[in-house]
Amino acid sequence: MFLKVRKDLKMRKGKMVAQSAHAAMKLFLEYTRRENGNYALPAHLSEEFEDFLSSPNVKASFVFDEAEIDSLVGDFSSLIVDNGRTEFHGVPTKTVLASHLFNEPKEDYDHITDQPSLRPAKQILIFSKQNPLKKEISCKLGAISCLKTLRELMMYNADRELIFDYSKSPALAEWLKGAFAKISLSVKTDEDLIAMSEKMTSLNIVNTVLKVGDNMILSTEPCFFERIDPVTQHLPLI
């Protein structure tokens, strides 16, 4: 999979990470179809997705401006247009493109949500700052960890298609209806990150820890604010 991040926007690192994870997730969802209120990934793509997650190959790099990112849009890609609520002065802005998660073009499925989200939920991405963290690596880690956590929240149906298991995450259904909110935070050391993972596991919060090279990230399931804030609200933004 490729991630193309706009350099001219000068996004802070945490914003880049969230937008990259958005792009990877949007691309994944666009290969699914809506079926009985769920998202179903075709069987052959479910197998391909498992192969990807077992040995994720993601390359993140920068593009110079909107024209360059527009030139990369195609049947294998998804482009994120940020609504501008927290940056970009309220102006909808193209930020990150993800492409080539799968080896075939997307189908023209309908992904409009059934109804608006009534309870906001968010996914937390936590980085260890023990080792230097380059922007490209942070975007790569964010995208992979988001997809790995999604897989933790999925199961196979009778047709060997991956679908979401809403029983695993009370906030998942509401999160999928909304803007897939993601917050990027940090801890000082790898040991701190492992301790945070263990604490979340003890609270039955689904989480995954990923290490690429010298860098580590923790990604949580989507959580309602009142569930996750007591655990993470003391952590600084990255």
Side-chain angles (χ1 to χ4, degrees):
M1 182 170 69
F2 296 95
L3 296 170
K4 300 295 183 179
V5 183
R6 279 183 62 182
K7 189 174 186 178
D8 59 312
L9 297 176
K10 296 180 171 58
M11 291 181 280
R12 56 185 174 79
K13 188 180 294 183
K15 182 72 170 182
M16 284 186 183
V17 170
Q19 295 292 292
S20 297
H22 282 331
M25 179 180 165
K26 182 184 176 188
L27 181 61
F28 171 81
L29 291 178
E30 287 180 349
Y31 276 91
T32 65
R33 68 178 187 281
R34 294 304 300 274
E35 184 177 88
N36 300 322
N38 211 320
Y39 294 83
L41 184 66
H44 69 289
L45 294 182
S46 293
E47 183 177 349
E48 191 174 333
F49 186 55
E50 299 279 31
D51 289 341
F52 168 81
L53 292 179
S54 67
S55 183
N57 183 12
V58 177
K59 296 180 180 179
S61 59
F62 290 103
V63 296
F64 288 104
D65 53 27
E66 182 175 333
E68 186 174 0
I69 206 168
D70 280 342
S71 71
L72 300 172
V73 174
D75 293 337
F76 291 83
S77 68
S78 253
L79 176 62
I80 292 297
V81 181
D82 185 72
N83 57 28
R85 290 176 185 169
T86 58
E87 296 190 23
F88 315 128
H89 310 291
V91 178
T93 303
K94 300 170 184 176
T95 56
V96 178
L97 177 139
S99 68
H100 293 86
L101 175 60
F102 298 109
N103 294 316
E104 61 183 62
K106 296 178 294 186
E107 296 284 348
D108 187 20
Y109 294 137
D110 179 11
H111 296 91
I112 297 175
T113 55
D114 298 326
Q115 56 185 324
S117 175
L118 300 177
R119 291 184 66 191
K122 58 185 174 182
Q123 181 182 40
I124 303 295
L125 306 173
I126 306 175
F127 289 87
S128 167
K129 297 181 72 175
Q130 180 168 308
N131 295 299
L133 181 65
K134 294 182 178 179
K135 290 180 178 178
E136 298 95 322
I137 297 297
S138 65
C139 291
K140 175 178 176 177
L141 285 168
I144 297 172
S145 65
C146 177
L147 292 177
K148 279 185 170 288
T149 303
L150 285 182
R151 174 62 188 91
E152 291 294 317
L153 303 175
M154 302 185 84
M155 63 181 179
Y156 282 101
N157 64 15
D159 297 320
R160 295 297 296 169
E161 298 174 320
L162 281 170
I163 62 172
F164 286 109
D165 182 357
Y166 295 114
S167 68
K168 285 187 175 181
S169 177
L172 178 59
E174 292 299 319
W175 187 67
L176 289 169
K177 293 176 189 175
F180 319 131
K182 298 175 181 64
I183 305 296
S184 303
L185 306 174
S186 66
V187 293
K188 291 182 178 180
T189 68
D190 294 353
E191 185 177 347
D192 291 336
L193 194 72
I194 296 300
M196 179 62 68
S197 175
E198 291 172 349
K199 181 176 182 178
M200 289 183 178
T201 300
S202 72
L203 296 172
N204 296 316
I205 297 173
V206 176
N207 68 93
T208 57
V209 174
L210 173 69
K211 185 171 185 178
V212 174
D214 293 329
N215 299 117
M216 293 182 67
I217 184 175
L218 179 154
S219 175
T220 73
E221 64 173 303
C223 291
F224 293 124
F225 288 31
E226 62 269 21
R227 186 180 184 211
I228 194 66
D229 283 355
V231 185
T232 62
Q233 62 187 356
H234 65 288
L235 299 179
L237 294 168
I238 191 169

